[in-house]
């Protein structure tokens, strides 16, 4: 079996606000997004704010087409994990998605491949859709080890979650050198990795959604989304500007028609 034809896969654009925002600034941003929103038919869109603003985002978006999610999750159910948030708590806040394995957390919080795999499993067990981030550093790319690195990151999750778990998951390819740097992977570079990722899951025969992340802007989104295996984007900076976020959602909507 091969994966679903492109036209049947839903596109997805996710805004990762990272550690940005205040109650007032969020309120203005959400208002601007909602008042300029253009309905999507073939795509979904979501916002992942800092944990403390999930309730604010949930309230603002509850009557809209947009979803929301967490930026990380602790793999344990409850207990002595100071500062952490469980999958159940994210569900309590109405989250649909949770980002796991973002490279900033892999690097700054020393999250290992194995820890990310446990986050993925815990998220799914509660009914969240994990957005599993994978990607290589510039050194790994220069050494010709990009695909090997991504293969290892995926394998760690496959080992404990199994192939079937990816039927309800999202994978986001984020080359570390492109995140927050203004340097985007060329559509060809991204497409090569996306095709590699798709191949790992081809036997599932389902419509695994694979996002690209790393300096996506309204100016480069359409070109990226025109590639067969790029189903949407994980946005950092661009998700903090209502106009940019909406424009990128619209690019996903028209891609591959
Ligand atoms: P960026 O971030 O769009 O600002 O490069 C992407 C991400 O970290 O998900």
């Amino acid at each position: 079996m091969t994966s679903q034809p492109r036209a049947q896969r839903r596109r997805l654009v996710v805004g990762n606000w990272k550690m940005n925002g205040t109650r007032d600034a969020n309120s203005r941003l959400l208002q601007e997004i909602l008042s300029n929103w253009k309905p999507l038919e073939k795509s979904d869109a979501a916002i992942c704010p800092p944990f403390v603003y999930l309730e604010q985002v949930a309230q603002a978006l509850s009557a809209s087409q947009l979803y929301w999610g967490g930026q990380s999750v602790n793999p344990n159910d409850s207990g002595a994990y100071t500062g952490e948030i469980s999958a159940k708590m994210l569900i309590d806040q109405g989250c649909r998605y949770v980002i796991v394995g973002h490279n900033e957390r892999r690097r700054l919080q020393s999250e290992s491949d194995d820890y990310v795999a446990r986050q993925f499993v815990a998220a799914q067990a509660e009914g969240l859709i994990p957005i599993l981030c994978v990607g290589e550093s510039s050194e790994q790319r220069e050494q010709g080890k990009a695909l090997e690195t991504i293969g290892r990151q995926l394998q760690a999750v496959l080992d404990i979650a199994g192939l079937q778990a990816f039927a309800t998951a999202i994978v986001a390819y984020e080359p570390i050198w492109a995140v927050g740097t203004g340097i985007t992977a060329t559509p060809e570079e991204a497409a090569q990795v996306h095709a590699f990722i798709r191949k790992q899951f081809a036997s599932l025969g389902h419509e695994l959604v694979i996002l690209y992340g790393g300096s996506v802007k309204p100016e480069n989104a359409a070109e990226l989304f025109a590639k067969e295996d790029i189903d949407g984007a994980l946005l950092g900076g661009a998700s903090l500007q209502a106009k940019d976020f909406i424009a990128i959602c619209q690019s996903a909507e028209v891609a591959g028609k």
Side-chain angles (χ1 to χ4, degrees):
M1 266 212 265
T2 55
S3 54
Q4 296 275 352
R6 171 92 198 264
Q8 289 170 33
R9 284 200 302 273
R10 269 189 95 67
R11 264 81 92 186
L12 174 65
V13 175
V14 178
N16 171 12
W17 284 2
K18 308 193 180 183
M19 199 172 74
N20 291 294
T22 61
R23 187 157 271 276
D24 282 353
N26 301 345
S27 172
R28 285 192 298 275
L29 177 55
L30 290 163
Q31 197 43 52
E32 203 184 334
I33 292 172
L34 290 172
S35 52
N36 293 290
W37 189 249
K38 299 191 188 94
L40 304 171
E41 279 175 27
K42 295 166 171 258
S43 328
D44 295 313
I47 289 174
C48 298
F51 290 136
V52 291
Y53 297 125
L54 271 172
E55 190 150 3
Q56 182 189 17
V57 168
Q59 268 175 17
L61 300 183
S62 61
S64 79
Q65 196 185 17
L66 288 108
Y67 296 100
W68 54 96
Q71 295 180 10
S72 182
V73 65
N74 186 281
N76 299 289
D77 281 347
S78 64
Y81 303 100
T82 302
E84 292 293 283
I85 303 284
S86 72
K88 228 185 214 77
M89 293 172 187
L90 293 177
I91 286 287
D92 246 359
Q93 294 294 322
C95 290
R96 178 178 170 93
Y97 301 102
V98 63
I99 300 169
V100 299
H102 191 282
N103 82 78
E104 284 152 18
R105 294 199 60 91
R106 286 182 190 263
R107 288 181 300 123
L108 304 173
Q109 265 74 31
S110 309
E111 291 181 351
S112 65
D113 288 345
D114 177 57
Y115 183 82
V116 172
R118 289 177 53 221
Q119 291 177 296
F120 181 103
V121 169
Q124 272 194 339
E126 286 301 329
L128 291 161
I129 300 175
I131 300 171
L132 170 66
C133 300
V134 296
E136 80 287 1
S137 65
S138 54
E139 296 78 39
Q140 287 162 330
R141 177 157 281 266
E142 277 156 26
Q143 291 163 10
K145 292 190 174 153
L147 298 183
E148 182 188 318
T149 303
I150 293 155
R152 195 191 63 234
Q153 292 167 337
L154 291 173
Q155 195 56 48
V157 182
L158 281 165
D159 283 348
I160 73 161
L163 187 64
Q164 208 52 45
F166 282 83
T168 51
I170 312 274
V171 174
Y173 168 52
E174 295 208 311
I176 298 173
W177 45 272
V179 171
T181 58
I183 306 164
T184 321
T186 64
E188 290 68 33
E189 281 168 335
Q192 188 209 10
V193 177
H194 281 238
F196 167 80
I197 296 170
R198 177 97 51 219
K199 231 171 122 198
Q200 315 294 309
F201 300 97
S203 65
L204 265 185
H206 75 88
E207 41 195 289
L208 179 69
V209 170
I210 310 176
L211 311 181
Y212 168 79
S215 301
V216 177
K217 310 177 216 26
E219 301 79 54
N220 57 29
E223 212 188 339
L224 286 160
F225 298 160
K227 294 289 181 193
E228 169 70 22
D229 289 308
I230 303 182
D231 302 318
L234 181 52
L235 310 173
S239 70
L240 299 171
Q241 306 295 330
K243 251 176 81 189
D244 292 357
F245 181 64
I246 293 170
I248 296 167
C249 290
Q250 286 301 311
S251 291
E253 180 74 1
V254 300
K257 262 193 182 159

mmCIF file of all heavy atoms in Angstrom, residues 16 18 102-104 133 174 178-182 213-216 234-238, ligand 1:
data_model
loop_
_atom_site.group_PDB
_atom_site.id
_atom_site.type_symbol
_atom_site.label_atom_id
_atom_site.label_comp_id
_atom_site.label_asym_id
_atom_site.label_seq_id
_atom_site.Cartn_x
_atom_site.Cartn_y
_atom_site.Cartn_z
ATOM 1 N N ASN A 16 3.246 28.090 16.743
ATOM 2 C CA ASN A 16 3.900 27.857 18.036
ATOM 3 C C ASN A 16 4.350 29.220 18.560
ATOM 4 O O ASN A 16 5.319 29.777 18.058
ATOM 5 C CB ASN A 16 5.091 26.909 17.803
ATOM 6 C CG ASN A 16 5.976 26.760 19.027
ATOM 7 O OD1 ASN A 16 5.611 27.183 20.133
ATOM 8 N ND2 ASN A 16 7.144 26.155 18.848
ATOM 9 N N LYS A 18 5.734 29.881 21.227
ATOM 10 C CA LYS A 18 6.929 29.773 22.082
ATOM 11 C C LYS A 18 6.711 30.603 23.357
ATOM 12 O O LYS A 18 5.574 30.720 23.817
ATOM 13 C CB LYS A 18 8.187 30.191 21.321
ATOM 14 C CG LYS A 18 8.305 29.431 19.993
ATOM 15 C CD LYS A 18 9.646 29.552 19.347
ATOM 16 C CE LYS A 18 9.653 28.760 18.043
ATOM 17 N NZ LYS A 18 10.950 28.763 17.384
ATOM 18 N N HIS A 102 10.297 19.354 20.109
ATOM 19 C CA HIS A 102 10.780 20.568 19.436
ATOM 20 C C HIS A 102 12.278 20.704 19.718
ATOM 21 O O HIS A 102 12.737 20.431 20.830
ATOM 22 C CB HIS A 102 10.024 21.797 19.944
ATOM 23 C CG HIS A 102 10.298 23.014 19.109
ATOM 24 N ND1 HIS A 102 11.460 23.732 19.239
ATOM 25 C CD2 HIS A 102 9.583 23.600 18.120
ATOM 26 C CE1 HIS A 102 11.441 24.727 18.345
ATOM 27 N NE2 HIS A 102 10.313 24.664 17.662
ATOM 28 N N ASN A 103 13.032 21.140 18.732
ATOM 29 C CA ASN A 103 14.499 21.125 18.906
ATOM 30 C C ASN A 103 14.962 22.036 20.037
ATOM 31 O O ASN A 103 15.993 21.798 20.649
ATOM 32 C CB ASN A 103 15.215 21.434 17.596
ATOM 33 C CG ASN A 103 15.290 22.922 17.318
ATOM 34 O OD1 ASN A 103 16.113 23.625 17.885
ATOM 35 N ND2 ASN A 103 14.415 23.418 16.455
ATOM 36 N N GLU A 104 14.163 23.095 20.344
ATOM 37 C CA GLU A 104 14.565 23.962 21.462
ATOM 38 C C GLU A 104 14.496 23.190 22.785
ATOM 39 O O GLU A 104 15.322 23.388 23.671
ATOM 40 C CB GLU A 104 13.683 25.216 21.489
ATOM 41 C CG GLU A 104 14.088 26.194 20.394
ATOM 42 C CD GLU A 104 12.971 27.081 19.880
ATOM 43 O OE1 GLU A 104 11.934 27.232 20.552
ATOM 44 O OE2 GLU A 104 13.138 27.633 18.771
ATOM 45 N N CYS A 133 8.331 16.600 16.333
ATOM 46 C CA CYS A 133 9.342 17.368 15.581
ATOM 47 C C CYS A 133 10.626 16.565 15.435
ATOM 48 O O CYS A 133 11.112 15.976 16.410
ATOM 49 C CB CYS A 133 9.676 18.669 16.304
ATOM 50 S SG CYS A 133 8.278 19.754 16.522
ATOM 51 N N GLU A 174 11.736 19.951 11.033
ATOM 52 C CA GLU A 174 12.265 21.282 11.330
ATOM 53 C C GLU A 174 13.787 21.225 11.367
ATOM 54 O O GLU A 174 14.366 20.856 12.407
ATOM 55 C CB GLU A 174 11.745 21.769 12.686
ATOM 56 C CG GLU A 174 10.252 21.988 12.723
ATOM 57 C CD GLU A 174 9.866 23.055 13.727
ATOM 58 O OE1 GLU A 174 10.321 22.998 14.885
ATOM 59 O OE2 GLU A 174 9.134 23.968 13.349
ATOM 60 N N ALA A 178 17.277 26.157 10.389
ATOM 61 C CA ALA A 178 16.279 27.020 9.756
ATOM 62 C C ALA A 178 15.300 27.622 10.761
ATOM 63 O O ALA A 178 14.546 28.527 10.424
ATOM 64 C CB ALA A 178 15.499 26.223 8.710
ATOM 65 N N VAL A 179 15.323 27.126 12.002
ATOM 66 C CA VAL A 179 14.333 27.580 12.986
ATOM 67 C C VAL A 179 14.758 28.915 13.594
ATOM 68 O O VAL A 179 15.817 29.014 14.209
ATOM 69 C CB VAL A 179 14.123 26.513 14.094
ATOM 70 C CG1 VAL A 179 13.261 27.072 15.221
ATOM 71 C CG2 VAL A 179 13.487 25.268 13.507
ATOM 72 N N GLY A 180 13.935 29.923 13.359
ATOM 73 C CA GLY A 180 14.173 31.242 13.938
ATOM 74 C C GLY A 180 15.370 31.979 13.352
ATOM 75 O O GLY A 180 15.800 32.991 13.888
ATOM 76 N N THR A 181 15.905 31.477 12.255
ATOM 77 C CA THR A 181 17.125 32.081 11.694
ATOM 78 C C THR A 181 16.846 32.947 10.469
ATOM 79 O O THR A 181 17.716 33.680 10.020
ATOM 80 C CB THR A 181 18.107 30.977 11.239
ATOM 81 O OG1 THR A 181 17.432 30.144 10.274
ATOM 82 C CG2 THR A 181 18.572 30.127 12.399
ATOM 83 N N GLY A 182 15.654 32.806 9.917
ATOM 84 C CA GLY A 182 15.355 33.518 8.665
ATOM 85 C C GLY A 182 15.851 32.742 7.450
ATOM 86 O O GLY A 182 15.570 33.111 6.313
ATOM 87 N N GLY A 213 8.803 23.069 9.166
ATOM 88 C CA GLY A 213 8.954 24.234 10.041
ATOM 89 C C GLY A 213 10.353 24.788 9.957
ATOM 90 O O GLY A 213 11.333 24.033 9.816
ATOM 91 N N GLY A 214 10.480 26.100 10.054
ATOM 92 C CA GLY A 214 11.784 26.754 9.987
ATOM 93 C C GLY A 214 11.703 27.949 9.073
ATOM 94 O O GLY A 214 11.830 27.818 7.861
ATOM 95 N N SER A 215 11.428 29.125 9.697
ATOM 96 C CA SER A 215 11.379 30.386 8.955
ATOM 97 C C SER A 215 10.371 30.398 7.802
ATOM 98 O O SER A 215 10.646 30.971 6.749
ATOM 99 C CB SER A 215 12.781 30.775 8.466
ATOM 100 O OG SER A 215 13.670 30.901 9.563
ATOM 101 N N VAL A 216 9.228 29.763 8.011
ATOM 102 C CA VAL A 216 8.165 29.854 6.997
ATOM 103 C C VAL A 216 7.532 31.236 7.110
ATOM 104 O O VAL A 216 7.258 31.725 8.212
ATOM 105 C CB VAL A 216 7.090 28.758 7.195
ATOM 106 C CG1 VAL A 216 5.965 28.917 6.179
ATOM 107 C CG2 VAL A 216 7.720 27.377 7.092
ATOM 108 N N LEU A 234 4.708 24.265 10.563
ATOM 109 C CA LEU A 234 4.783 24.612 11.975
ATOM 110 C C LEU A 234 5.485 25.965 12.020
ATOM 111 O O LEU A 234 6.635 26.090 11.585
ATOM 112 C CB LEU A 234 5.579 23.537 12.736
ATOM 113 C CG LEU A 234 5.749 23.714 14.244
ATOM 114 C CD1 LEU A 234 4.423 23.937 14.952
ATOM 115 C CD2 LEU A 234 6.442 22.477 14.845
ATOM 116 N N LEU A 235 4.771 26.966 12.502
ATOM 117 C CA LEU A 235 5.274 28.343 12.448
ATOM 118 C C LEU A 235 5.701 28.832 13.816
ATOM 119 O O LEU A 235 5.006 28.608 14.793
ATOM 120 C CB LEU A 235 4.171 29.286 11.972
ATOM 121 C CG LEU A 235 3.397 28.929 10.712
ATOM 122 C CD1 LEU A 235 2.242 29.919 10.548
ATOM 123 C CD2 LEU A 235 4.328 28.969 9.508
ATOM 124 N N GLY A 236 6.808 29.531 13.866
ATOM 125 C CA GLY A 236 7.182 30.259 15.072
ATOM 126 C C GLY A 236 6.834 31.717 14.858
ATOM 127 O O GLY A 236 5.678 32.139 14.989
ATOM 128 N N GLY A 237 7.832 32.491 14.462
ATOM 129 C CA GLY A 237 7.677 33.937 14.286
ATOM 130 C C GLY A 237 6.432 34.365 13.520
ATOM 131 O O GLY A 237 5.726 35.289 13.950
ATOM 132 N N ALA A 238 6.155 33.697 12.424
ATOM 133 C CA ALA A 238 5.029 34.128 11.577
ATOM 134 C C ALA A 238 3.681 33.959 12.276
ATOM 135 O O ALA A 238 2.696 34.590 11.887
ATOM 136 C CB ALA A 238 5.039 33.357 10.252
HETATM 137 P P1 LIG B 1 10.287 29.888 13.090
HETATM 138 O O1 LIG B 1 10.080 28.726 14.182
HETATM 139 O O2 LIG B 1 9.101 29.835 12.173
HETATM 140 O O3 LIG B 1 10.350 31.168 13.876
HETATM 141 O O4 LIG B 1 11.554 29.571 12.384
HETATM 142 C C1 LIG B 1 9.557 27.487 13.816
HETATM 143 C C2 LIG B 1 9.405 26.595 15.017
HETATM 144 O O5 LIG B 1 10.228 26.672 15.940
HETATM 145 O O6 LIG B 1 8.490 25.767 15.099
#
